[in-house]
Amino acid sequence: MAKVTGARFVADMLRGYGVTHVFFVPQMLLETLTGMEGMGIRRVMVHGEKAAAYMADGYARAAGLACSPVIAITGGPAPAARYRHAYQELEDFGQFEHTTKLNAHVDHIGRLPDMLRQAFREATTGAPGPVHLQIGG
């Protein structure tokens, strides 16, 4: 069985869940975004994280997706680099705690498949709502 990179896995999973638009800041998941070429997922580059959140929420609501089932995927410091004063190191994880249905860390690539599935499940079931995954490193 051929090995699949984490980037390709994420792109394939987004397509499999029927994602049509991704609003992004060109800082992370660049290989994933490249892997979406030809998948029918529109990639919309924005100036900042705040704009991406507003645009994703607005698009979800305009598309008739009640309660905005948006999945925010952000980067975070690798555990070994935490507290070493890396460029723009900011602990933003807690800022998602009170505004999301699920706020979770993905600290190891092996957890990516089940955490993405859980994120989609949480965002779209019951009362749909936003979810946050912080991918370390």
Side-chain angles (χ1 to χ4, degrees), residues 17-64:
Y17 275 103
V19 171
T20 60
H21 288 72
V22 173
F23 302 91
F24 70 97
V25 177
Q27 297 300 329
M28 62 174 288
L29 298 177
L30 297 177
E31 289 180 45
T32 300
L33 293 163
T34 301
M36 290 178 193
E37 189 71 38
M39 287 188 170
I41 300 173
R42 183 162 182 193
R43 297 160 294 169
V44 181
M45 184 172 65
V46 299
H47 181 68
E49 291 88 347
K50 186 175 174 181
Y54 284 145
M55 290 175 76
D57 177 63
Y59 181 81
R61 291 172 190 272

Side-chain angles (χ1 to χ4, degrees), residues 1-135:
M1 178 181 262
K3 288 189 178 189
V4 176
T5 65
R8 185 61 193 205
F9 175 82
V10 172
D12 288 341
M13 184 170 259
L14 293 177
R15 179 183 57 189
Y17 275 103
V19 171
T20 60
H21 288 72
V22 173
F23 302 91
F24 70 97
V25 177
Q27 297 300 329
M28 62 174 288
L29 298 177
L30 297 177
E31 289 180 45
T32 300
L33 293 163
T34 301
M36 290 178 193
E37 189 71 38
M39 287 188 170
I41 300 173
R42 183 162 182 193
R43 297 160 294 169
V44 181
M45 184 172 65
V46 299
H47 181 68
E49 291 88 347
K50 186 175 174 181
Y54 284 145
M55 290 175 76
D57 177 63
Y59 181 81
R61 291 172 190 272
L65 300 172
C67 301
S68 192
V70 171
I71 298 175
I73 300 174
T74 64
R82 198 169 270 141
Y83 312 116
R84 294 191 181 220
H85 309 293
Y87 178 71
Q88 291 188 337
E89 182 178 325
L90 174 67
E91 187 56 54
D92 62 354
F93 185 78
Q95 296 174 12
F96 290 91
E97 195 64 38
H98 301 289
T99 58
T100 58
K101 288 181 67 178
L102 172 70
N103 185 29
H105 289 285
V106 181
D107 287 330
H108 188 273
I109 190 75
R111 294 297 314 275
L112 190 57
D114 69 287
M115 293 305 295
L116 272 174
R117 282 191 289 276
Q118 184 175 351
F120 274 95
R121 188 171 44 254
E122 288 286 336
T124 59
T125 60
V131 168
H132 172 242
L133 291 180
Q134 184 181 67
I135 300 177

